[in-house]
Amino acid sequence: MPISASTPPAPVPAPAVRARQRLLSITVAAALVGGGLLLSACGAAKPRSWQAAVAPVGQASATGAGTGVPLSVDEHLPGMPPLLSPTDVYAADRPGALSPVVRDFPSRIYVPNTLSNTVTVIDPATYKVSYTFDVGHEPQHVVPSWDLKTLWVNNDLGNSLTPVDPVTGKPGTPVDVHDPYNLYFTPDGKYAVVMASNDHALVFRDAHTMKVVKSVPSQCAGVNHADFSPDGRYFIVSCEFSGDLLKVDTEKMQIVAKQKIPFPGSMPQDVKISPDGKVWYIADMMANGVWELNGDTFATPTLLRTGAGAHGLYVSRDSRYLYISNRGEGSVSVLEFGTGRLVHKWQIPGGGSPDMGGVSADGKVLWLSGRYNSEVYAMSTEDGHLIARIPVGEGPHGLCVYPQPGRYSLGHTGVFR
């Protein structure tokens, strides 16, 4: 994959100031965790139905169920590979369904240690650390590229992306990218979308060269996580520090709606859509649960409480369950998509701070970073028991299980279609 330097977007505070801002977030978070609360830091010419339904920026519209997965290929974002199922956006993510691109990649767990400026690599067969390598300042997430061929380490305060070769597991030459807190890819594979949290911007870049195509002011503080609609035409973004949600037109690269989460001090985190495409789940570490949202109407969401410090969201390989990490109480809640109810809560023995992660290729193990405990948890998805607790560097965050099933990556630690 060709890579090159890119032009930094708008000026930002000096690195030392930004580092202090991030450290303050983490310090406050740790303090609240200790107090039992939770904190973070992590072309149709005719208007389509969702475009007509959404309210202007700053307003919310009516509630109701979303329209779900589109049946016609013509409904999809041009250039986007058609979905495999009209009822399940995750139909390509079944156990062991590895793309030919990644089929021969060795299985590894890549753990970015935000405070150690390293990535720790774990062998999932032995549950032991294989090796650790240096990266840039404050790596936040390890993100598979759209074409599955590269892993990008997001060095947020280092203003760079470190490419990792999934064949060798070794890092390459960093690419200059400003403020890459998190990274996503449009479903057509054309653009990378940098969640530039400190810069308050969504930066669309060429997915291969990483050159800036368009920088969009976020109109909120702390853009961090996202997921795409089944047709790929829009995506929902969470804003951690202002408690906002954004709706973004993928093709126009434009924010088309914005709303404030109805909870004082809300800090939304991970975003994930239900298999049938009708409900968006947004974890909120201060509301201690997940918000359920109709992405089409962008109506006011409703809260389902899960546990203290709800943070990461991961779909089971059979598309039946959503795993929700509750960072503040060291547990994982399990939501059944079919009923919309919580069916399990798995407690990590001795506690912990489960944050971001992913599910193994066979679907049997849920991997999560322990943000404030310098460790990684491997949990059985059968009954939630802790298989292993593995010491890593300081501040482990958006770990990536790789390879995973799926035909292409939409970013973060592994959102595959």
Side-chain angles (χ1 to χ4, degrees), residues 190-210:
K190 293 176 66 176
Y191 305 115
V193 185
V194 174
M195 297 294 166
S197 177
N198 289 311
D199 290 347
H200 292 201
L202 300 171
V203 185
F204 290 79
R205 292 173 175 263
D206 183 287
H208 299 286
T209 67
M210 290 296 171

Side-chain angles (χ1 to χ4, degrees), residues 109 127 312-316 322-325 331-334 346 354-360 362-369 376-382 384-388 399 401:
I109 312 299
Y127 298 99
L313 305 174
Y314 305 98
V315 178
S316 64
L322 180 68
Y323 307 122
I324 305 159
S325 62
S331 72
V332 174
S333 295
V334 183
W346 300 330
D355 196 288
M356 293 293 176
V359 178
S360 61
D362 62 9
K364 296 181 178 179
V365 181
L366 173 63
W367 291 85
L368 294 167
S369 60
V376 163
Y377 315 109
M379 304 177 70
S380 166
T381 58
E382 181 177 356
H385 80 269
L386 185 66
I387 300 171
L399 72 75
V401 178

Side-chain angles (χ1 to χ4, degrees), residues 304-379:
L304 174 67
R305 296 187 185 278
T306 61
H311 211 85
L313 305 174
Y314 305 98
V315 178
S316 64
R317 292 276 170 238
D318 59 6
S319 299
R320 292 183 62 192
Y321 302 108
L322 180 68
Y323 307 122
I324 305 159
S325 62
N326 302 308
R327 192 173 75 184
E329 62 177 44
S331 72
V332 174
S333 295
V334 183
L335 181 148
E336 187 178 55
F337 286 119
T339 62
R341 296 179 178 176
L342 299 174
V343 294
H344 301 291
K345 181 176 278 190
W346 300 330
Q347 192 70 44
I348 297 175
S353 50
D355 196 288
M356 293 293 176
V359 178
S360 61
D362 62 9
K364 296 181 178 179
V365 181
L366 173 63
W367 291 85
L368 294 167
S369 60
R371 187 71 179 270
Y372 300 120
N373 298 81
S374 301
E375 58 193 10
V376 163
Y377 315 109
M379 304 177 70

Side-chain angles (χ1 to χ4, degrees), residues 178-324:
H178 208 266
D179 190 21
Y181 177 77
N182 207 348
L183 185 66
Y184 288 84
F185 293 91
T186 56
D188 57 7
K190 293 176 66 176
Y191 305 115
V193 185
V194 174
M195 297 294 166
S197 177
N198 289 311
D199 290 347
H200 292 201
L202 300 171
V203 185
F204 290 79
R205 292 173 175 263
D206 183 287
H208 299 286
T209 67
M210 290 296 171
K211 295 183 65 173
V212 173
V213 176
K214 182 179 181 180
S215 181
V216 180
S218 69
Q219 306 176 22
C220 69
V223 287
N224 56 16
H225 296 90
D227 201 357
F228 289 81
S229 61
D231 60 11
R233 290 188 174 272
Y234 73 87
F235 56 103
I236 301 293
V237 178
S238 62
C239 301
E240 176 178 7
F241 298 122
S242 59
D244 292 305
L245 299 177
L246 308 177
K247 185 169 184 173
V248 184
D249 186 307
T250 309
E251 196 166 19
K252 294 180 179 177
M253 296 182 279
Q254 180 181 2
I255 297 172
V256 295
K258 174 185 175 183
Q259 67 166 296
K260 181 78 70 178
I261 290 179
F263 185 91
S266 167
M267 294 186 76
Q269 306 293 315
D270 206 358
V271 180
K272 203 74 69 187
I273 194 170
S274 61
D276 63 7
K278 295 182 178 180
V279 181
W280 301 71
Y281 295 93
I282 301 105
D284 190 326
M285 66 190 313
M286 293 304 288
N288 298 329
V290 293
W291 294 96
E292 298 175 332
L293 172 74
N294 180 333
D296 288 354
T297 64
F298 205 57
T300 301
T302 57
L303 179 64
L304 174 67
R305 296 187 185 278
T306 61
H311 211 85
L313 305 174
Y314 305 98
V315 178
S316 64
R317 292 276 170 238
D318 59 6
S319 299
R320 292 183 62 192
Y321 302 108
L322 180 68
Y323 307 122
I324 305 159

